[in-house]
Amino acid sequence: LERLDHLLSSHRAESDITRLSQNQAELRVSNETAEVLTLGLEVAYASAGAFDLTLGRLKELWALDSFSAQIPSATAVATALAGTGPQAIKLSGQSVRKAQPELQVDLGGVAKGYGVDRAVAVLKEYGVTSAAINAGGDMYLLGQQQTRPWRIGIQHPRRADAVLETVQVSDRAVVTSGDYERFFEHDGQRYHHLFDPKSGFPARGCRSVTIIADSVALADALATAVFVLGPKDGFKLLQKYPEVEGLVVDAQGQRHCSQGWGKYLVTP
Ligand code: ADP
Ligand code: MG
């Protein structure tokens, strides 16, 4: 995970992503970085740009992780969004080029999931048959927990001590994106870290999205994408992925789930 972080993080001086952000010419990246970019761009196009790997400047502008987080001006948001979108990254094999020199790539919506997938592959190589790997809400549940599938409690997005639903899985990724871990409040409005690329503001349609899929990277990207799209368009996106199921808590606190979700649900 640390090795991948050194390739994929925008906070590491020598990472592929930092070099890409600083560089204007064509750049050769590691095959892992190319793999994450490929998957990210796929979900970006499938979600009509709701999932967007080019929001690095916008993320920096909002600075949600700093103590001085505040609402940026409309002009600053417009500047940070200029030239963003999937078409701004040209990927060919391991060569990447930016369509716009200022563009800052940010893999925050997919890289952690990819890291978990790779960790699972390492464990399998060593003959591990049962494991639960959790990178802050991006989980993979390998095999069984002793004699039955793994049981995962999904956190209630507004009550930290409450479980919303419990699911039962084996050899699956379970990934949740929510507005309740990283945010600040201003005038009764919540400002969190999942941005709608259309407005440059935090997306308003959901409180949390949980995705169950085979791959953690895909589940990670889709959780972010569905969160940004909101339940209606979000479920339309999930229909393109027949093996993927999702649970959404919308902005009013209503729960929605995809057709096959029930097969994972543990009924109390
Ligand atoms: P978490 O980091 O809380 O697990 P996510 O996987 O949903 O949650 O990723 C959130 C991160 O994704 C943000 O911190 C930012 O780096 C990035 N991001 C924010 N908005 C978008 C978006 N519309 N498309 C792709 N990535 C995004
Ligand atoms: Mg994500």
Side-chain angles (χ1 to χ4, degrees):
L1 286 169
E2 196 168 322
R3 187 181 64 79
L4 288 174
D5 193 50
H6 277 274
L7 290 175
L8 304 174
S9 166
S10 354
H11 306 294
R12 303 272 188 189
E14 296 290 313
S15 77
D16 278 351
I17 296 310
T18 303
R19 289 192 303 128
L20 186 59
S21 289
Q22 289 163 352
N23 214 294
Q24 298 193 20
E26 192 150 300
L27 194 73
R28 195 179 160 77
V29 295
S30 69
N31 53 10
E32 281 117 330
T33 304
E35 212 179 342
V36 178
L37 286 170
T38 303
L39 175 72
L41 288 173
E42 248 170 59
V43 174
Y45 282 110
S47 65
F51 186 79
D52 192 334
L53 299 176
T54 67
L55 301 180
R57 291 171 74 205
L58 187 74
K59 182 178 177 173
E60 235 166 73
L61 176 68
W62 278 90
L64 278 155
D65 294 325
S66 77
F67 289 109
S68 56
Q70 53 178 312
I71 302 163
S73 74
T75 335
V77 168
T79 309
L81 283 179
T84 58
Q87 76 296 331
I89 301 177
K90 311 281 181 206
L91 180 69
S92 160
Q94 283 171 245
S95 298
V96 194
R97 201 166 42 78
K98 300 188 295 182
Q100 200 243 86
E102 308 274 282
L103 199 76
Q104 304 258 329
V105 174
D106 166 35
L107 301 181
V110 60
K112 210 162 52 168
Y114 179 78
V116 176
D117 277 329
R118 298 298 303 273
V120 171
V122 172
L123 290 177
K124 283 183 177 169
E125 244 172 67
Y126 281 85
V128 173
T129 55
S130 169
I133 303 151
N134 182 4
D138 290 29
M139 310 188 73
Y140 191 86
L141 295 312
L142 177 65
Q144 306 229 80
Q145 183 180 27
Q146 294 172 345
T147 56
R148 62 163 203 220
W150 290 94
R151 285 191 176 181
I152 306 301
I154 297 164
Q155 191 182 317
H156 190 291
R158 289 296 176 270
R159 287 186 281 134
D161 55 348
V163 171
L164 188 70
E165 281 185 11
T166 302
V167 292
Q168 187 163 260
V169 296
S170 185
D171 298 323
R172 288 285 185 285
V174 181
V175 174
T176 299
S177 275
D179 68 0
Y180 51 89
E181 292 282 358
R182 291 159 68 199
F183 68 92
F184 69 90
E185 275 177 325
H186 183 79
D187 285 343
Q189 238 329 345
R190 183 180 288 238
Y191 295 88
H192 58 81
H193 70 317
L194 299 165
F195 301 108
D196 182 347
K198 283 192 183 141
S199 64
F201 271 65
R204 290 271 166 246
C206 300
R207 292 179 181 177
S208 87
V209 175
T210 301
I211 299 290
I212 300 180
D214 288 341
S215 136
V216 196
L218 178 64
D220 189 4
L222 287 177
T224 306
V226 171
F227 191 104
V228 171
L229 287 169
K232 192 164 161 275
D233 290 338
F235 282 118
K236 266 192 218 152
L237 171 64
L238 292 187
Q239 277 170 7
K240 298 183 186 173
Y241 302 86
E243 304 294 303
V244 173
E245 303 298 340
L247 170 73
V248 172
V249 180
D250 70 20
Q252 285 73 43
Q254 294 292 330
R255 257 184 263 172
H256 312 257
C257 62
S258 61
Q259 212 165 32
W261 178 263
K263 66 176 173 279
Y264 296 118
L265 190 62
V266 177
T267 34

